[in-house]
Amino acid sequence: MQETRTIEFKETITNTFLKTVSAFSNYNGGKIFFGIDDKGNVKGLTDVKQACLDIENKINDSISPQPDYTLEVQKDHTIILSVKSGVQKPYLYKSKAYKRNDTATIEVDTLELSRLILEGKNISFEELPCKEQDLSFDILCHKLQECIHIERFNQDTLRTLNLYNNDAGYNNAAGILADKNPFPGIDIMKFGENISIIQKRATFEHTSALEIYDKTLTVFRDYYQYEIIQGTDRKKVEKIPEAAFREAIANALIHRAWDINPRIRVSMFDDRIEIVSPGGLPSGITEEEYLAGKLSVLRNAVLANVFYRLGLVEIFGTGITRIKQLYEAGLRKPDFEVSENAIRIVLPVLEKDLDLTEDEKTVYKTLSRTTLKPISEIVPYVPFGKSKTTQLLKELNQKDVIMVQGKGRGTKYIIK
C-alpha cells in the first residue's frame, strides 16, 4: 500500500494531519493511517488508546464544522482514521479549507472556496442570479417550438424550466441559454497534415449554448460527412459517427464548469477529433464510475434538463456508454481521459473490421492517417520484435489497408 489522493500515512500524531481531515471532508473522503511511515512501513504507536483520544480532541477542537469520521485500532498498534465527505462544506482548519493534490494536501484557492460554500448550501453556480438581467430567448423559443412543439413562450415557460423566479430573476443557466451573454463557448481548430497547418479556426461564444451546439455540428459535418452516389440513390457516409460527436459536445456543454473562462476546445484531425471540456469531474463521482457509466452526477442540472427536454442528450448519464456502443464494430475505440481540471474525449475515424488478425490489429492501431512512421517508431509500441513487425506491416500492405513509402532504411508506413 502507498499514499494516494485518498490515503495518507502518519508515523506520529502531529497537527499536520488536520489539514488532510479538512481536505477529505471537503471532497471525496479518505483514510489516514497512524503508526505507518511515509514509505508504508508499519512502526506502530506506543499507546493506541491515548492516541485515539489525542486524535479525537485535535479534530473536535480544530475542524469546523464537525467532520464525520471513525477510528479503528488495528492489531499491529496502528490506527485508521476514516473521514467521510461532508455535507456542511467548507470544513475549515484554522479558518482555511484544504484539498488533496495527488499525495499532498494544499489550501484551496478563492474559486474552490466559493464552490465549496455553494456546495455546502446545496446551490450550484447555474442557480445563482445572473449578473445580466436584460436577456432575450429567441433561440430557446425557436428550439422549443421545433423540438417539442411548444406554441406559447413566456415567463411561465422560463419558470417551468427553472430559469427564472420572481425573487432573484434570471439565473446563470438562463444566461447560458440567452441569445447574448458573457459566457465562454467552443473553440474549434481543424488541422491539416500536422498542427502547423490550420485549415479552419472558428470560435462560437457569447450566445446561447443551443446555437453554439448547432454551429459546432455544422463544422463537424463539413469535414466528417460526405455523400456517395449509388445508382439513383445518394448515401451519406460518416467518417466519425455524428451521434457520438453530438453526445460528446452536448455533454461538454452541460457538464463543464461555467464559473471559469476557458472555452471548450475541439481539435479536428484527419483521423480523430479531440474534445476537451474544462472543469474535471464534479464532486461525488470517481473516474472509474464516470468511465463505466455506473453513476452520473450533474454539475448543471438545470441546463441538462433543458437539453434533455429538447431531445439533445440523455439525462441519466449514459453518454459515455452510448459513445462506446457506437464504436463496438470499429477497429479503433474512443478514448477518455480525466484530470483534475479537464475531461478529454477522443473520437477516432470509424473503421470497421478489416478482416485483420489480432496481431495485425495491434500494429495497425499504432499507425496514423496523417504521419508517416518508420519501423523504429512502431516497434517500441507493439509486443513484437522488428522482424515480426516488418512481416505484419507487409501483410497489411498486401491487404491494401496501409501505404508504404520509400525503400530500405527510409521506408515509412501510413494508414490509407
Side-chain angles (χ1 to χ4, degrees), residues 38-251:
D38 291 340
K39 295 181 180 179
N41 300 313
V42 176
K43 300 296 184 179
L45 298 166
T46 305
D47 187 341
V48 290
K49 289 185 178 180
Q50 184 60 48
C52 285
L53 288 174
D54 291 343
I55 293 168
E56 283 191 56
N57 289 334
K58 287 179 181 294
I59 293 174
N60 295 339
D61 292 343
S62 305
I63 305 293
S64 179
Q66 184 71 35
D68 186 357
Y69 67 92
T70 58
L71 288 167
E72 298 176 64
V73 177
Q74 306 299 300
K75 293 180 180 180
D76 56 5
H77 298 283
T78 61
I79 297 172
I80 301 176
L81 170 62
S82 301
V83 183
K84 293 183 179 179
S85 177
V87 296
Q88 296 178 297
K89 301 169 184 176
Y91 291 84
L92 306 177
Y93 170 58
K94 291 186 175 180
S95 301
K96 296 178 180 179
Y98 292 86
K99 69 174 182 177
R100 294 286 279 176
N101 184 14
D102 291 328
T103 60
T105 302
I106 61 173
E107 184 182 350
V108 302
D109 58 23
T110 304
L111 175 61
E112 279 293 314
L113 181 59
S114 66
R115 287 175 176 173
L116 288 171
I117 292 171
L118 289 176
E119 190 175 347
K121 295 178 179 179
N122 198 26
I123 300 172
S124 63
F125 173 79
E126 65 166 358
E127 296 175 289
L128 294 175
C130 187
K131 292 180 180 179
E132 177 61 61
Q133 289 290 310
D134 184 17
L135 302 175
S136 63
F137 298 92
D138 292 341
I139 295 169
L140 175 60
C141 174
H142 175 73
K143 277 289 185 182
L144 289 169
Q145 290 171 347
E146 176 187 12
C147 298
I148 53 178
H149 310 295
I150 288 183
E151 296 180 0
R152 295 182 60 187
F153 182 88
N154 51 35
Q155 208 94 67
D156 287 336
T157 310
L158 295 170
R159 288 191 188 92
T160 301
L161 295 173
N162 295 317
L163 301 174
Y164 179 87
N165 69 60
N166 293 334
D167 296 328
Y170 298 116
N171 57 26
N172 281 326
I176 293 165
L177 293 166
D179 298 331
K180 294 182 179 180
N181 61 57
F183 293 102
I186 290 179
D187 194 20
I188 301 175
M189 295 276 277
K190 174 63 177 72
F191 296 98
E193 293 181 0
N194 55 63
I195 59 174
S196 298
I197 301 173
I198 300 174
Q199 296 177 337
K200 184 180 181 66
R201 174 76 182 269
T203 300
F204 308 126
E205 61 182 349
H206 306 320
T207 185
S208 172
L210 298 171
E211 184 169 71
I212 291 171
Y213 173 82
D214 284 344
K215 287 184 174 180
T216 303
L217 283 178
T218 299
V219 176
F220 166 84
R221 290 168 183 149
D222 286 343
Y223 291 103
Y224 297 96
Q225 290 182 358
Y226 60 93
E227 289 186 341
I228 57 174
I229 299 175
Q230 296 178 334
T232 58
D233 297 326
R234 288 179 177 268
K235 180 181 178 183
K236 184 175 75 173
V237 179
E238 295 182 338
K239 296 172 69 176
I240 290 177
E242 181 176 313
F245 184 75
R246 282 175 173 271
E247 197 73 42
I249 292 298
N251 274 275

